[in-house]
Amino acid sequence: QVQLQESGPGLVKPSQTLSLTCTVSGGSISSGGYYWSWIRQHPGKGLEWIGYIHYSGSTDYNPSLRSRVIISVDTSKNQFSLKLSSVTAADTAVFYCARTTYYYANSAFRYFDLWGRGTLLTVSS
Amino acid sequence: QSVLTQPPSVSGAPGQRVTISCTGSSSNIGAGYDVHWYQQLPGTAPKLLIYGNSNRPSGVPDRFSGSKSGASASLAITGLQAEDEADYYCQSYDISLYVFGTGTKVTVL
């Protein structure tokens, strides 16, 4: 079955750019019907959607993070990636990648049906 | 700060029924957007529990059910089991982004 696995450095210094990759196995990232999201969870807190990408390259981002986020896709590697620039301690969180299913054309009707295990990213000097 | 409000905690004895509310507003649930629910067991990633207000993915026990009315939604767990002890989050859409609820910790007494 389809599985997602995040990978990243674990530790990033303040002001640097965070880079994470999600590898999709057991299925093609180019299959229709899905977007591919990044979601984060601050320690002991709730969930925050960061943004998503379609295999065609179409993206959408959380407005509060849009100025610092880039999500890209590499269909040849079956991977999608997150870059978050100018990080601070407030960006310390567990980052999840998630498959995002849409069931109507309206972008409002989407949910996250498959998640990776998550990777903790700490911002510290 | 989340725009979907949930009670911080609910508890019940094994076999009992508990419900978790998810209160939104006219810009999200009240606008007609669907509500989805996730279960997060301790130390693990969230798992989809209910989609489209009341639909269960394959493999989710029918002890879990969802409903929506107006600007609110509810998740009900009947026949509460020890393995249901987890955090639960609702999710919807609000003015160009996907939003999650504040989360509810379910404790099995």
Side-chain angles (χ1 to χ4, degrees):
Chain A
Q1 71 275 22
V2 178
Q3 294 183 316
L4 288 74
Q5 178 67 58
E6 305 87 351
S7 57
L11 179 66
V12 177
K13 289 181 167 51
S15 80
Q16 290 189 339
T17 295
L18 165 172
S19 294
L20 297 174
T21 296
C22 181
T23 301
V24 180
S25 59
S28 173
I29 202 169
S30 302
S31 58
Y34 304 113
Y35 284 73
W36 304 90
S37 287
W38 286 100
I39 295 163
R40 68 180 180 179
Q41 186 170 33
H42 293 102
K45 302 293 185 182
L47 300 159
E48 179 181 35
W49 176 73
I50 298 170
Y52 62 40
I53 191 165
H54 189 259
Y55 77 89
S56 63
S58 170
T59 57
D60 197 9
Y61 301 128
N62 185 322
S64 70
L65 297 169
R66 180 172 287 131
S67 63
R68 299 196 291 135
V69 172
I70 297 175
I71 297 177
S72 58
V73 65
D74 186 337
T75 55
S76 67
K77 294 182 179 179
N78 230 28
Q79 295 176 334
F80 62 106
S81 299
L82 167 72
K83 289 189 187 301
L84 180 65
S85 63
S86 305
V87 298
T88 69
D91 292 308
T92 293
V94 174
F95 286 75
Y96 296 100
C97 57
R99 190 176 72 177
T100 308
T101 294
Y102 60 94
Y103 50 107
Y104 292 125
N106 186 323
S107 60
F109 295 91
R110 291 173 188 171
Y111 56 88
F112 311 102
D113 67 331
L114 201 59
W115 297 61
R117 288 186 165 185
T119 186
L120 174 63
L121 192 113
T122 302
V123 180
S124 175
S125 55
Chain B
Q1 191 157 351
S2 177
V3 297
L4 302 179
T5 302
Q6 300 177 230
S9 63
V10 298
S11 62
Q16 284 190 328
R17 179 179 187 270
V18 297
T19 61
I20 301 169
S21 60
C22 174
T23 303
S25 67
S26 60
S27 65
N28 41 69
I29 300 173
Y33 301 137
D34 285 354
V35 178
H36 321 290
W37 291 89
Y38 303 86
Q39 177 193 59
Q40 187 174 30
L41 297 170
T44 70
K47 168 192 166 186
L48 179 67
L49 204 60
I50 297 286
Y51 67 93
N53 304 319
S54 59
N55 301 290
R56 285 186 308 276
S58 174
V60 173
D62 59 7
R63 302 185 291 103
F64 296 92
S65 62
S67 63
K68 173 191 158 184
S69 178
S72 295
S74 291
L75 174 72
I77 310 174
T78 56
L80 194 64
Q81 298 183 4
E83 66 209 50
D84 299 332
E85 192 158 284
D87 293 325
Y88 293 82
Y89 294 91
C90 58
Q91 176 246 314
S92 188
Y93 183 81
D94 187 306
I95 309 177
S96 76
L97 82 157
Y98 304 94
V99 291
F100 291 90
T102 49
T104 298
K105 181 173 181 58
V106 170
T107 301
V108 181
L109 301 173

PDB file of all heavy atoms in Angstrom, chain B residues 69-109:
ATOM      1  N   SER B  69     -24.129  19.982  11.818  1.00  0.00           N
ATOM      2  CA  SER B  69     -25.349  20.775  11.823  1.00  0.00           C
ATOM      3  C   SER B  69     -24.983  22.247  11.946  1.00  0.00           C
ATOM      4  O   SER B  69     -24.315  22.642  12.907  1.00  0.00           O
ATOM      5  CB  SER B  69     -26.259  20.355  12.987  1.00  0.00           C
ATOM      6  OG  SER B  69     -27.420  21.158  13.022  1.00  0.00           O
ATOM      7  N   GLY B  70     -25.405  23.016  10.976  1.00  0.00           N
ATOM      8  CA  GLY B  70     -25.103  24.438  11.029  1.00  0.00           C
ATOM      9  C   GLY B  70     -23.605  24.693  10.989  1.00  0.00           C
ATOM     10  O   GLY B  70     -22.916  24.214  10.090  1.00  0.00           O
ATOM     11  N   ALA B  71     -23.110  25.425  11.973  1.00  0.00           N
ATOM     12  CA  ALA B  71     -21.693  25.764  12.033  1.00  0.00           C
ATOM     13  C   ALA B  71     -20.918  24.867  12.994  1.00  0.00           C
ATOM     14  O   ALA B  71     -19.817  25.226  13.422  1.00  0.00           O
ATOM     15  CB  ALA B  71     -21.527  27.231  12.440  1.00  0.00           C
ATOM     16  N   SER B  72     -21.491  23.712  13.319  1.00  0.00           N
ATOM     17  CA  SER B  72     -20.820  22.795  14.249  1.00  0.00           C
ATOM     18  C   SER B  72     -20.858  21.372  13.724  1.00  0.00           C
ATOM     19  O   SER B  72     -21.668  21.038  12.855  1.00  0.00           O
ATOM     20  CB  SER B  72     -21.501  22.841  15.613  1.00  0.00           C
ATOM     21  OG  SER B  72     -21.355  24.103  16.210  1.00  0.00           O
ATOM     22  N   ALA B  73     -19.971  20.568  14.277  1.00  0.00           N
ATOM     23  CA  ALA B  73     -19.928  19.152  13.947  1.00  0.00           C
ATOM     24  C   ALA B  73     -19.632  18.370  15.212  1.00  0.00           C
ATOM     25  O   ALA B  73     -19.179  18.940  16.219  1.00  0.00           O
ATOM     26  CB  ALA B  73     -18.859  18.878  12.894  1.00  0.00           C
ATOM     27  N   SER B  74     -19.905  17.068  15.169  1.00  0.00           N
ATOM     28  CA  SER B  74     -19.655  16.224  16.335  1.00  0.00           C
ATOM     29  C   SER B  74     -19.098  14.882  15.907  1.00  0.00           C
ATOM     30  O   SER B  74     -19.442  14.362  14.844  1.00  0.00           O
ATOM     31  CB  SER B  74     -20.948  15.996  17.120  1.00  0.00           C
ATOM     32  OG  SER B  74     -21.382  17.169  17.743  1.00  0.00           O
ATOM     33  N   LEU B  75     -18.241  14.360  16.763  1.00  0.00           N
ATOM     34  CA  LEU B  75     -17.735  12.999  16.620  1.00  0.00           C
ATOM     35  C   LEU B  75     -18.233  12.218  17.820  1.00  0.00           C
ATOM     36  O   LEU B  75     -18.070  12.665  18.958  1.00  0.00           O
ATOM     37  CB  LEU B  75     -16.210  12.986  16.588  1.00  0.00           C
ATOM     38  CG  LEU B  75     -15.548  11.609  16.591  1.00  0.00           C
ATOM     39  CD1 LEU B  75     -15.749  10.918  15.244  1.00  0.00           C
ATOM     40  CD2 LEU B  75     -14.057  11.721  16.916  1.00  0.00           C
ATOM     41  N   ALA B  76     -18.832  11.072  17.578  1.00  0.00           N
ATOM     42  CA  ALA B  76     -19.309  10.219  18.652  1.00  0.00           C
ATOM     43  C   ALA B  76     -18.530   8.912  18.646  1.00  0.00           C
ATOM     44  O   ALA B  76     -18.247   8.345  17.585  1.00  0.00           O
ATOM     45  CB  ALA B  76     -20.804   9.944  18.512  1.00  0.00           C
ATOM     46  N   ILE B  77     -18.172   8.473  19.828  1.00  0.00           N
ATOM     47  CA  ILE B  77     -17.544   7.170  19.997  1.00  0.00           C
ATOM     48  C   ILE B  77     -18.447   6.360  20.911  1.00  0.00           C
ATOM     49  O   ILE B  77     -18.673   6.741  22.070  1.00  0.00           O
ATOM     50  CB  ILE B  77     -16.143   7.268  20.626  1.00  0.00           C
ATOM     51  CG1 ILE B  77     -15.280   8.300  19.897  1.00  0.00           C
ATOM     52  CG2 ILE B  77     -15.460   5.894  20.598  1.00  0.00           C
ATOM     53  CD1 ILE B  77     -13.926   8.556  20.570  1.00  0.00           C
ATOM     54  N   THR B  78     -19.010   5.282  20.402  1.00  0.00           N
ATOM     55  CA  THR B  78     -19.852   4.422  21.223  1.00  0.00           C
ATOM     56  C   THR B  78     -19.074   3.165  21.602  1.00  0.00           C
ATOM     57  O   THR B  78     -18.145   2.758  20.897  1.00  0.00           O
ATOM     58  CB  THR B  78     -21.131   4.020  20.460  1.00  0.00           C
ATOM     59  OG1 THR B  78     -20.748   3.389  19.220  1.00  0.00           O
ATOM     60  CG2 THR B  78     -21.974   5.249  20.137  1.00  0.00           C
ATOM     61  N   GLY B  79     -19.426   2.586  22.726  1.00  0.00           N
ATOM     62  CA  GLY B  79     -18.695   1.406  23.184  1.00  0.00           C
ATOM     63  C   GLY B  79     -17.217   1.711  23.366  1.00  0.00           C
ATOM     64  O   GLY B  79     -16.351   1.007  22.844  1.00  0.00           O
ATOM     65  N   LEU B  80     -16.926   2.759  24.119  1.00  0.00           N
ATOM     66  CA  LEU B  80     -15.557   3.251  24.311  1.00  0.00           C
ATOM     67  C   LEU B  80     -14.615   2.124  24.738  1.00  0.00           C
ATOM     68  O   LEU B  80     -14.961   1.298  25.596  1.00  0.00           O
ATOM     69  CB  LEU B  80     -15.575   4.364  25.350  1.00  0.00           C
ATOM     70  CG  LEU B  80     -14.340   5.240  25.490  1.00  0.00           C
ATOM     71  CD1 LEU B  80     -14.090   6.036  24.214  1.00  0.00           C
ATOM     72  CD2 LEU B  80     -14.504   6.167  26.690  1.00  0.00           C
ATOM     73  N   GLN B  81     -13.439   2.084  24.093  1.00  0.00           N
ATOM     74  CA  GLN B  81     -12.447   1.066  24.426  1.00  0.00           C
ATOM     75  C   GLN B  81     -11.138   1.738  24.838  1.00  0.00           C
ATOM     76  O   GLN B  81     -10.865   2.882  24.469  1.00  0.00           O
ATOM     77  CB  GLN B  81     -12.217   0.160  23.218  1.00  0.00           C
ATOM     78  CG  GLN B  81     -13.456  -0.614  22.779  1.00  0.00           C
ATOM     79  CD  GLN B  81     -13.179  -1.571  21.626  1.00  0.00           C
ATOM     80  OE1 GLN B  81     -12.044  -1.730  21.181  1.00  0.00           O
ATOM     81  NE2 GLN B  81     -14.238  -2.215  21.144  1.00  0.00           N
ATOM     82  N   ALA B  82     -10.316   1.005  25.569  1.00  0.00           N
ATOM     83  CA  ALA B  82      -9.038   1.541  26.057  1.00  0.00           C
ATOM     84  C   ALA B  82      -8.183   2.051  24.894  1.00  0.00           C
ATOM     85  O   ALA B  82      -7.467   3.047  25.028  1.00  0.00           O
ATOM     86  CB  ALA B  82      -8.291   0.479  26.844  1.00  0.00           C
ATOM     87  N   GLU B  83      -8.269   1.390  23.760  1.00  0.00           N
ATOM     88  CA  GLU B  83      -7.446   1.765  22.605  1.00  0.00           C
ATOM     89  C   GLU B  83      -7.907   3.063  21.950  1.00  0.00           C
ATOM     90  O   GLU B  83      -7.247   3.574  21.047  1.00  0.00           O
ATOM     91  CB  GLU B  83      -7.477   0.650  21.569  1.00  0.00           C
ATOM     92  CG  GLU B  83      -8.833   0.424  20.925  1.00  0.00           C
ATOM     93  CD  GLU B  83      -9.045  -1.008  20.472  1.00  0.00           C
ATOM     94  OE1 GLU B  83      -8.801  -1.917  21.294  1.00  0.00           O
ATOM     95  OE2 GLU B  83      -9.448  -1.201  19.313  1.00  0.00           O
ATOM     96  N   ASP B  84      -9.045   3.596  22.386  1.00  0.00           N
ATOM     97  CA  ASP B  84      -9.542   4.859  21.835  1.00  0.00           C
ATOM     98  C   ASP B  84      -8.921   6.068  22.531  1.00  0.00           C
ATOM     99  O   ASP B  84      -9.182   7.212  22.126  1.00  0.00           O
ATOM    100  CB  ASP B  84     -11.066   4.942  21.968  1.00  0.00           C
ATOM    101  CG  ASP B  84     -11.791   3.836  21.228  1.00  0.00           C
ATOM    102  OD1 ASP B  84     -11.236   3.347  20.219  1.00  0.00           O
ATOM    103  OD2 ASP B  84     -12.890   3.449  21.659  1.00  0.00           O
ATOM    104  N   GLU B  85      -8.133   5.820  23.557  1.00  0.00           N
ATOM    105  CA  GLU B  85      -7.492   6.925  24.277  1.00  0.00           C
ATOM    106  C   GLU B  85      -6.483   7.593  23.342  1.00  0.00           C
ATOM    107  O   GLU B  85      -5.473   7.002  22.950  1.00  0.00           O
ATOM    108  CB  GLU B  85      -6.813   6.419  25.544  1.00  0.00           C
ATOM    109  CG  GLU B  85      -6.393   7.534  26.478  1.00  0.00           C
ATOM    110  CD  GLU B  85      -6.214   7.060  27.902  1.00  0.00           C
ATOM    111  OE1 GLU B  85      -7.221   6.843  28.606  1.00  0.00           O
ATOM    112  OE2 GLU B  85      -5.042   6.894  28.317  1.00  0.00           O
ATOM    113  N   ALA B  86      -6.763   8.838  22.983  1.00  0.00           N
ATOM    114  CA  ALA B  86      -5.981   9.542  21.966  1.00  0.00           C
ATOM    115  C   ALA B  86      -6.431  10.988  21.903  1.00  0.00           C
ATOM    116  O   ALA B  86      -7.373  11.398  22.598  1.00  0.00           O
ATOM    117  CB  ALA B  86      -6.179   8.888  20.598  1.00  0.00           C
ATOM    118  N   ASP B  87      -5.758  11.754  21.050  1.00  0.00           N
ATOM    119  CA  ASP B  87      -6.189  13.107  20.717  1.00  0.00           C
ATOM    120  C   ASP B  87      -6.990  13.046  19.420  1.00  0.00           C
ATOM    121  O   ASP B  87      -6.647  12.304  18.500  1.00  0.00           O
ATOM    122  CB  ASP B  87      -4.995  14.035  20.533  1.00  0.00           C
ATOM    123  CG  ASP B  87      -4.240  14.268  21.824  1.00  0.00           C
ATOM    124  OD1 ASP B  87      -4.875  14.326  22.891  1.00  0.00           O
ATOM    125  OD2 ASP B  87      -2.999  14.402  21.770  1.00  0.00           O
ATOM    126  N   TYR B  88      -8.051  13.864  19.358  1.00  0.00           N
ATOM    127  CA  TYR B  88      -8.917  13.893  18.191  1.00  0.00           C
ATOM    128  C   TYR B  88      -9.011  15.322  17.667  1.00  0.00           C
ATOM    129  O   TYR B  88      -9.176  16.263  18.449  1.00  0.00           O
ATOM    130  CB  TYR B  88     -10.305  13.355  18.544  1.00  0.00           C
ATOM    131  CG  TYR B  88     -10.299  11.891  18.882  1.00  0.00           C
ATOM    132  CD1 TYR B  88      -9.935  11.450  20.150  1.00  0.00           C
ATOM    133  CD2 TYR B  88     -10.639  10.929  17.925  1.00  0.00           C
ATOM    134  CE1 TYR B  88      -9.889  10.102  20.457  1.00  0.00           C
ATOM    135  CE2 TYR B  88     -10.601   9.584  18.222  1.00  0.00           C
ATOM    136  CZ  TYR B  88     -10.228   9.175  19.486  1.00  0.00           C
ATOM    137  OH  TYR B  88     -10.185   7.827  19.784  1.00  0.00           O
ATOM    138  N   TYR B  89      -8.907  15.460  16.350  1.00  0.00           N
ATOM    139  CA  TYR B  89      -8.945  16.774  15.721  1.00  0.00           C
ATOM    140  C   TYR B  89      -9.987  16.812  14.614  1.00  0.00           C
ATOM    141  O   TYR B  89     -10.075  15.873  13.806  1.00  0.00           O
ATOM    142  CB  TYR B  89      -7.587  17.115  15.095  1.00  0.00           C
ATOM    143  CG  TYR B  89      -6.455  17.288  16.071  1.00  0.00           C
ATOM    144  CD1 TYR B  89      -5.654  16.219  16.441  1.00  0.00           C
ATOM    145  CD2 TYR B  89      -6.179  18.542  16.633  1.00  0.00           C
ATOM    146  CE1 TYR B  89      -4.602  16.384  17.337  1.00  0.00           C
ATOM    147  CE2 TYR B  89      -5.139  18.714  17.529  1.00  0.00           C
ATOM    148  CZ  TYR B  89      -4.358  17.628  17.872  1.00  0.00           C
ATOM    149  OH  TYR B  89      -3.328  17.800  18.768  1.00  0.00           O
ATOM    150  N   CYS B  90     -10.755  17.894  14.571  1.00  0.00           N
ATOM    151  CA  CYS B  90     -11.615  18.123  13.420  1.00  0.00           C
ATOM    152  C   CYS B  90     -10.852  18.993  12.419  1.00  0.00           C
ATOM    153  O   CYS B  90      -9.847  19.630  12.760  1.00  0.00           O
ATOM    154  CB  CYS B  90     -12.937  18.783  13.817  1.00  0.00           C
ATOM    155  SG  CYS B  90     -12.804  20.382  14.661  1.00  0.00           S
ATOM    156  N   GLN B  91     -11.310  18.993  11.183  1.00  0.00           N
ATOM    157  CA  GLN B  91     -10.653  19.779  10.128  1.00  0.00           C
ATOM    158  C   GLN B  91     -11.700  20.236   9.124  1.00  0.00           C
ATOM    159  O   GLN B  91     -12.618  19.487   8.782  1.00  0.00           O
ATOM    160  CB  GLN B  91      -9.590  18.941   9.426  1.00  0.00           C
ATOM    161  CG  GLN B  91      -8.907  19.639   8.244  1.00  0.00           C
ATOM    162  CD  GLN B  91      -9.206  18.971   6.916  1.00  0.00           C
ATOM    163  OE1 GLN B  91      -9.137  17.754   6.776  1.00  0.00           O
ATOM    164  NE2 GLN B  91      -9.526  19.779   5.901  1.00  0.00           N
ATOM    165  N   SER B  92     -11.561  21.460   8.659  1.00  0.00           N
ATOM    166  CA  SER B  92     -12.455  21.982   7.626  1.00  0.00           C
ATOM    167  C   SER B  92     -11.677  22.983   6.776  1.00  0.00           C
ATOM    168  O   SER B  92     -10.433  22.942   6.736  1.00  0.00           O
ATOM    169  CB  SER B  92     -13.690  22.613   8.277  1.00  0.00           C
ATOM    170  OG  SER B  92     -14.651  22.971   7.303  1.00  0.00           O
ATOM    171  N   TYR B  93     -12.405  23.901   6.151  1.00  0.00           N
ATOM    172  CA  TYR B  93     -11.792  24.875   5.250  1.00  0.00           C
ATOM    173  C   TYR B  93     -12.291  26.250   5.638  1.00  0.00           C
ATOM    174  O   TYR B  93     -13.467  26.423   6.009  1.00  0.00           O
ATOM    175  CB  TYR B  93     -12.190  24.562   3.809  1.00  0.00           C
ATOM    176  CG  TYR B  93     -11.572  25.443   2.766  1.00  0.00           C
ATOM    177  CD1 TYR B  93     -10.281  25.212   2.313  1.00  0.00           C
ATOM    178  CD2 TYR B  93     -12.288  26.509   2.205  1.00  0.00           C
ATOM    179  CE1 TYR B  93      -9.709  26.016   1.331  1.00  0.00           C
ATOM    180  CE2 TYR B  93     -11.722  27.313   1.231  1.00  0.00           C
ATOM    181  CZ  TYR B  93     -10.436  27.059   0.797  1.00  0.00           C
ATOM    182  OH  TYR B  93      -9.870  27.850  -0.169  1.00  0.00           O
ATOM    183  N   ASP B  94     -11.401  27.224   5.585  1.00  0.00           N
ATOM    184  CA  ASP B  94     -11.789  28.586   5.985  1.00  0.00           C
ATOM    185  C   ASP B  94     -11.016  29.609   5.181  1.00  0.00           C
ATOM    186  O   ASP B  94      -9.822  29.756   5.381  1.00  0.00           O
ATOM    187  CB  ASP B  94     -11.524  28.780   7.486  1.00  0.00           C
ATOM    188  CG  ASP B  94     -12.056  30.108   8.005  1.00  0.00           C
ATOM    189  OD1 ASP B  94     -11.716  31.166   7.439  1.00  0.00           O
ATOM    190  OD2 ASP B  94     -12.801  30.101   8.987  1.00  0.00           O
ATOM    191  N   ILE B  95     -11.663  30.291   4.296  1.00  0.00           N
ATOM    192  CA  ILE B  95     -11.090  31.395   3.531  1.00  0.00           C
ATOM    193  C   ILE B  95      -9.661  31.101   3.085  1.00  0.00           C
ATOM    194  O   ILE B  95      -8.697  31.694   3.559  1.00  0.00           O
ATOM    195  CB  ILE B  95     -11.122  32.702   4.341  1.00  0.00           C
ATOM    196  CG1 ILE B  95     -12.516  32.950   4.902  1.00  0.00           C
ATOM    197  CG2 ILE B  95     -10.733  33.882   3.456  1.00  0.00           C
ATOM    198  CD1 ILE B  95     -12.617  34.186   5.783  1.00  0.00           C
ATOM    199  N   SER B  96      -9.529  30.165   2.195  1.00  0.00           N
ATOM    200  CA  SER B  96      -8.293  29.856   1.476  1.00  0.00           C
ATOM    201  C   SER B  96      -7.276  29.031   2.248  1.00  0.00           C
ATOM    202  O   SER B  96      -6.098  28.979   1.855  1.00  0.00           O
ATOM    203  CB  SER B  96      -7.628  31.126   0.937  1.00  0.00           C
ATOM    204  OG  SER B  96      -6.973  31.835   1.957  1.00  0.00           O
ATOM    205  N   LEU B  97      -7.667  28.427   3.339  1.00  0.00           N
ATOM    206  CA  LEU B  97      -6.753  27.468   3.944  1.00  0.00           C
ATOM    207  C   LEU B  97      -7.517  26.394   4.697  1.00  0.00           C
ATOM    208  O   LEU B  97      -8.669  26.574   5.072  1.00  0.00           O
ATOM    209  CB  LEU B  97      -5.744  28.157   4.870  1.00  0.00           C
ATOM    210  CG  LEU B  97      -6.157  28.512   6.292  1.00  0.00           C
ATOM    211  CD1 LEU B  97      -4.910  28.642   7.147  1.00  0.00           C
ATOM    212  CD2 LEU B  97      -6.952  29.787   6.308  1.00  0.00           C
ATOM    213  N   TYR B  98      -6.833  25.300   4.901  1.00  0.00           N
ATOM    214  CA  TYR B  98      -7.399  24.166   5.629  1.00  0.00           C
ATOM    215  C   TYR B  98      -7.072  24.354   7.104  1.00  0.00           C
ATOM    216  O   TYR B  98      -5.918  24.609   7.455  1.00  0.00           O
ATOM    217  CB  TYR B  98      -6.837  22.850   5.078  1.00  0.00           C
ATOM    218  CG  TYR B  98      -7.088  22.744   3.598  1.00  0.00           C
ATOM    219  CD1 TYR B  98      -6.131  23.145   2.684  1.00  0.00           C
ATOM    220  CD2 TYR B  98      -8.329  22.314   3.114  1.00  0.00           C
ATOM    221  CE1 TYR B  98      -6.389  23.123   1.322  1.00  0.00           C
ATOM    222  CE2 TYR B  98      -8.586  22.286   1.759  1.00  0.00           C
ATOM    223  CZ  TYR B  98      -7.619  22.696   0.871  1.00  0.00           C
ATOM    224  OH  TYR B  98      -7.880  22.683  -0.479  1.00  0.00           O
ATOM    225  N   VAL B  99      -8.089  24.241   7.926  1.00  0.00           N
ATOM    226  CA  VAL B  99      -7.930  24.521   9.352  1.00  0.00           C
ATOM    227  C   VAL B  99      -8.293  23.307  10.187  1.00  0.00           C
ATOM    228  O   VAL B  99      -9.163  22.523   9.830  1.00  0.00           O
ATOM    229  CB  VAL B  99      -8.787  25.728   9.785  1.00  0.00           C
ATOM    230  CG1 VAL B  99      -8.236  27.012   9.182  1.00  0.00           C
ATOM    231  CG2 VAL B  99     -10.247  25.544   9.400  1.00  0.00           C
ATOM    232  N   PHE B 100      -7.592  23.191  11.301  1.00  0.00           N
ATOM    233  CA  PHE B 100      -7.838  22.103  12.239  1.00  0.00           C
ATOM    234  C   PHE B 100      -8.434  22.667  13.528  1.00  0.00           C
ATOM    235  O   PHE B 100      -8.231  23.835  13.868  1.00  0.00           O
ATOM    236  CB  PHE B 100      -6.528  21.386  12.576  1.00  0.00           C
ATOM    237  CG  PHE B 100      -5.960  20.603  11.424  1.00  0.00           C
ATOM    238  CD1 PHE B 100      -5.076  21.203  10.536  1.00  0.00           C
ATOM    239  CD2 PHE B 100      -6.298  19.275  11.231  1.00  0.00           C
ATOM    240  CE1 PHE B 100      -4.540  20.493   9.471  1.00  0.00           C
ATOM    241  CE2 PHE B 100      -5.768  18.553  10.177  1.00  0.00           C
ATOM    242  CZ  PHE B 100      -4.891  19.161   9.295  1.00  0.00           C
ATOM    243  N   GLY B 101      -9.125  21.792  14.234  1.00  0.00           N
ATOM    244  CA  GLY B 101      -9.638  22.171  15.535  1.00  0.00           C
ATOM    245  C   GLY B 101      -8.537  22.211  16.576  1.00  0.00           C
ATOM    246  O   GLY B 101      -7.406  21.807  16.328  1.00  0.00           O
ATOM    247  N   THR B 102      -8.894  22.682  17.756  1.00  0.00           N
ATOM    248  CA  THR B 102      -7.929  22.827  18.849  1.00  0.00           C
ATOM    249  C   THR B 102      -7.529  21.489  19.449  1.00  0.00           C
ATOM    250  O   THR B 102      -6.543  21.408  20.172  1.00  0.00           O
ATOM    251  CB  THR B 102      -8.521  23.716  19.944  1.00  0.00           C
ATOM    252  OG1 THR B 102      -9.843  23.253  20.267  1.00  0.00           O
ATOM    253  CG2 THR B 102      -8.601  25.165  19.473  1.00  0.00           C
ATOM    254  N   GLY B 103      -8.277  20.436  19.148  1.00  0.00           N
ATOM    255  CA  GLY B 103      -7.922  19.118  19.633  1.00  0.00           C
ATOM    256  C   GLY B 103      -8.601  18.754  20.945  1.00  0.00           C
ATOM    257  O   GLY B 103      -8.796  19.604  21.816  1.00  0.00           O
ATOM    258  N   THR B 104      -8.965  17.485  21.067  1.00  0.00           N
ATOM    259  CA  THR B 104      -9.611  16.971  22.284  1.00  0.00           C
ATOM    260  C   THR B 104      -8.920  15.688  22.716  1.00  0.00           C
ATOM    261  O   THR B 104      -8.754  14.765  21.908  1.00  0.00           O
ATOM    262  CB  THR B 104     -11.088  16.671  22.038  1.00  0.00           C
ATOM    263  OG1 THR B 104     -11.764  17.876  21.677  1.00  0.00           O
ATOM    264  CG2 THR B 104     -11.739  16.074  23.285  1.00  0.00           C
ATOM    265  N   LYS B 105      -8.531  15.656  23.972  1.00  0.00           N
ATOM    266  CA  LYS B 105      -7.922  14.435  24.505  1.00  0.00           C
ATOM    267  C   LYS B 105      -9.036  13.571  25.094  1.00  0.00           C
ATOM    268  O   LYS B 105      -9.766  14.007  25.989  1.00  0.00           O
ATOM    269  CB  LYS B 105      -6.885  14.743  25.569  1.00  0.00           C
ATOM    270  CG  LYS B 105      -6.211  13.508  26.133  1.00  0.00           C
ATOM    271  CD  LYS B 105      -5.080  13.852  27.057  1.00  0.00           C
ATOM    272  CE  LYS B 105      -4.395  12.600  27.591  1.00  0.00           C
ATOM    273  NZ  LYS B 105      -3.866  11.751  26.500  1.00  0.00           N
ATOM    274  N   VAL B 106      -9.148  12.355  24.609  1.00  0.00           N
ATOM    275  CA  VAL B 106     -10.118  11.403  25.147  1.00  0.00           C
ATOM    276  C   VAL B 106      -9.402  10.475  26.107  1.00  0.00           C
ATOM    277  O   VAL B 106      -8.393   9.843  25.755  1.00  0.00           O
ATOM    278  CB  VAL B 106     -10.792  10.596  24.021  1.00  0.00           C
ATOM    279  CG1 VAL B 106     -11.605   9.449  24.601  1.00  0.00           C
ATOM    280  CG2 VAL B 106     -11.674  11.500  23.183  1.00  0.00           C
ATOM    281  N   THR B 107      -9.928  10.423  27.325  1.00  0.00           N
ATOM    282  CA  THR B 107      -9.376   9.562  28.365  1.00  0.00           C
ATOM    283  C   THR B 107     -10.382   8.468  28.692  1.00  0.00           C
ATOM    284  O   THR B 107     -11.568   8.754  28.918  1.00  0.00           O
ATOM    285  CB  THR B 107      -9.055  10.366  29.633  1.00  0.00           C
ATOM    286  OG1 THR B 107      -8.108  11.385  29.308  1.00  0.00           O
ATOM    287  CG2 THR B 107      -8.481   9.469  30.716  1.00  0.00           C
ATOM    288  N   VAL B 108      -9.905   7.239  28.713  1.00  0.00           N
ATOM    289  CA  VAL B 108     -10.757   6.109  29.091  1.00  0.00           C
ATOM    290  C   VAL B 108     -10.493   5.796  30.554  1.00  0.00           C
ATOM    291  O   VAL B 108      -9.365   5.461  30.937  1.00  0.00           O
ATOM    292  CB  VAL B 108     -10.474   4.885  28.203  1.00  0.00           C
ATOM    293  CG1 VAL B 108     -11.390   3.733  28.591  1.00  0.00           C
ATOM    294  CG2 VAL B 108     -10.653   5.249  26.733  1.00  0.00           C
ATOM    295  N   LEU B 109     -11.518   5.968  31.369  1.00  0.00           N
ATOM    296  CA  LEU B 109     -11.364   5.850  32.824  1.00  0.00           C
ATOM    297  C   LEU B 109     -11.153   4.401  33.282  1.00  0.00           C
ATOM    298  O   LEU B 109     -11.589   3.467  32.593  1.00  0.00           O
ATOM    299  CB  LEU B 109     -12.593   6.432  33.514  1.00  0.00           C
ATOM    300  CG  LEU B 109     -12.864   7.919  33.193  1.00  0.00           C
ATOM    301  CD1 LEU B 109     -14.188   8.345  33.780  1.00  0.00           C
ATOM    302  CD2 LEU B 109     -11.727   8.792  33.716  1.00  0.00           C
TER     303      LEU B 109
END
